Amino acid sequence: MKRFQSKPWQEYLGHDTGFKSMNWRSYMRSAAAGSSGILLSFVFLLGFSFVFTRLSDVAHSVTRGTSASKPTLSKTASYLYPQKNLDIPKNASKQIEIPLDCPAYNHTQTCPNSNYPNILDPEEYRDHSSALTCPDYFRWIHEDLRPWAHTGITRETLERAKTTSTFRLIIVEGKVYVEKYRKAFQTRDVFTLWGIIQMLRRYPGKVPNLELIFDCGDRPNIRKSNYQGHNATCPPPLFRYCGADDALDIPFPDWSFWGWPEVNIKPWEILLKDIEEGNKKKRWMDREPYAYWKGNPLVSLSRHQLLKCNVSDTQDWNARIYVQDWKRESREGYKQSDLASQCTHRYKIYMEGIAWSVSEKYILACDSVSLLVKPHYHDFFTRSLMPLHHYWPTRDDDKCRSIAFAVDWGNTHKQKAQGIGKAATKFVQEELKMEYVYDYMFHLLNEYAKLLTFKPIRPTNAVELCAETIACPAQGLQKKFLMESMVKGPTYSSPCTMPPPYDASSLHAFLKRKESSIKQVELWENNFWVNRTKQS
């Protein structure tokens, strides 16, 4: 197939990559100089230690729920793995690193024919039976894909997702292609695609051929109500950053896990360590006994209403609200927006913006009690969070009084409140580390690919993507974050083992428990204000 050489992929995607330049030329020269030695070592290992194998065929059955008779989709060529093996020595003591080949990319403006493996010998992975079980939120993968469990996904069904989407992603024989439909906000698509490429570098050859359509916008678009009833058509599968109870969009890890250069938010792996260190600077008991929120109030009415909860000369709702001016922060070097320095209050408020907000994971990581103002959207991991264990539920229709009560309760029950903050931070540190983010992407795409009833192909207008096409031309903060979040080479560990899907009774019990916890808090809150009124 002829390579596309007409223009760089950044131009194809319509992005301005003109961030302030950093001294990356010297970096790339040193990387290029060191690459030959790494490649020679790599060839040496191949000559003496590598064994060629072939991947096993993959079953096409679709497992969902606990039904006695499970439907089997007709076999197609869609769920295939690349057949070119590159074996890795067993019990390898040193991680093999594959550097960027920017000289080759700069010469051809296409993905270089590097020695990066298309596939690892499955026998070289550590015993799959010893792999850790994935966190419980992985179970929602089964629920998010359930609408297509019995029908599969035809090409006609997939094409109907194009109307509101940003790009189409194609993986064929381990290579990645993208076809753009519209411009994304800032560099959301760039860092989303970068994250997918890093997952493929981590697990080369383990993700089968597939096509998917992705929307980088905020709000879900596939409404459940449009696909109900006897004459309803099959809903189009559309990936995005969040979902909703009344929507069928498929949640996927958001771009900020690999960095958000426009607002100077570091890649998650680095930032999580910074926040962990920031937590140590002030013990929970010594923190300000108020609820803290800082953000942009202009993106939603609910956030604008939150401003009324700030302390004033006449009222104190136990909240300290600050407006984040990102333009000013950019001019002044982001001195007032360091997330690792914002863990100074006992309570932190999470408030949705246009839809869900990337800020939720940063708030949960802070050791503070997270006050979640009733969310209407969810991302890929938040549905497994439990009220009164990981967070404190707060009303959306009476924010100020609800926040005031939450803070009063926490200051009265300090040990219990501190335990809630600790549980959220433990969840984030242990169950939302980057290894699990990649494993979530891996399992979601594998399960999704099983549903395709057609053979994925590279569209005429698609361009090939690889680490070089994204990182080599990048500059400034964008370049810095890309390099910091790059997966250096393949891992020898198997992905975590997927937990089973919910059965109807266990899912109902889980949701009922969450609902009961929220109602319990509302009852406490109502009694608190009734008693306060009687005393006044």
Side-chain angles (χ1 to χ4, degrees), residues 71-131:
T72 300
L73 302 181
S74 60
K75 285 190 175 182
T76 70
S78 66
Y79 192 53
L80 298 176
Y81 292 95
Q83 296 301 307
K84 177 183 176 182
N85 286 14
L86 181 58
D87 303 335
I88 301 297
K90 292 183 179 181
N91 301 319
S93 60
K94 186 177 181 180
Q95 174 72 47
I96 293 180
E97 295 188 5
I98 312 297
L100 291 178
D101 193 355
C102 287
Y105 168 76
N106 293 336
H107 179 68
T108 64
Q109 295 295 300
T110 60
C111 291
N113 293 320
S114 66
N115 289 325
Y116 198 85
N118 283 349
I119 192 168
L120 298 182
D121 179 355
E123 293 183 1
E124 307 298 345
Y125 281 93
R126 295 172 187 156
D127 183 8
H128 186 76
S129 63
S130 65

Side-chain angles (χ1 to χ4, degrees), residues 264-329:
N264 195 38
I265 291 180
K266 300 175 184 178
W268 176 237
E269 190 168 26
I270 297 173
L271 182 55
L272 185 57
K273 293 178 182 178
D274 289 348
I275 295 177
E276 185 176 0
E277 290 302 313
N279 288 342
K280 299 176 183 178
K281 294 180 180 179
K282 182 172 284 191
R283 297 186 316 122
W284 190 89
M285 292 293 184
D286 297 332
R287 296 185 182 187
E288 296 293 324
Y290 304 108
Y292 174 94
W293 184 84
K294 189 172 187 178
N296 180 5
L298 303 179
V299 295
S300 70
L301 176 61
S302 188
R303 283 193 176 186
H304 184 74
Q305 293 170 343
L306 183 63
L307 297 179
K308 300 178 181 178
C309 303
N310 212 351
V311 63
S312 66
D313 294 336
T314 59
Q315 185 66 56
D316 189 350
W317 295 108
N318 291 331
R320 301 296 182 261
I321 311 298
Y322 302 89
V323 175
Q324 180 71 72
D325 185 341
W326 285 113
K327 291 183 178 180
R328 180 178 178 181
E329 277 296 289

Side-chain angles (χ1 to χ4, degrees), residues 167-283:
F167 63 81
R168 179 195 302 263
L169 176 84
I170 308 99
I171 299 176
V172 176
E173 299 298 323
K175 293 186 177 182
V176 180
Y177 306 92
V178 65
E179 180 182 26
K180 185 208 172 179
Y181 299 125
R182 57 181 51 83
K183 189 179 185 306
F185 179 64
Q186 296 178 341
T187 51
R188 289 186 179 190
D189 54 346
V190 176
F191 278 83
T192 299
L193 291 165
W194 175 257
I196 294 171
I197 289 173
Q198 301 320 299
M199 186 269 294
L200 293 173
R201 284 171 65 90
R202 181 176 173 85
Y203 296 123
K206 300 291 285 183
V207 177
N209 297 350
L210 61 85
E211 288 185 43
L212 64 82
I213 294 180
F214 204 104
D215 186 357
C216 294
D218 288 287
R219 290 193 179 117
N221 287 327
I222 311 300
R223 317 313 304 182
K224 278 185 181 179
S225 57
N226 294 334
Y227 301 95
Q228 295 176 341
H230 295 295
N231 298 322
T233 59
C234 187
L238 182 61
F239 287 74
R240 68 181 329 105
Y241 305 122
C242 71
D245 291 342
D246 61 351
L248 297 173
D249 302 65
I250 303 170
F252 194 85
D254 72 85
W255 74 95
S256 68
F257 280 99
W258 297 272
W260 190 356
E262 289 85 357
V263 294
N264 195 38
I265 291 180
K266 300 175 184 178
W268 176 237
E269 190 168 26
I270 297 173
L271 182 55
L272 185 57
K273 293 178 182 178
D274 289 348
I275 295 177
E276 185 176 0
E277 290 302 313
N279 288 342
K280 299 176 183 178
K281 294 180 180 179
K282 182 172 284 191
R283 297 186 316 122

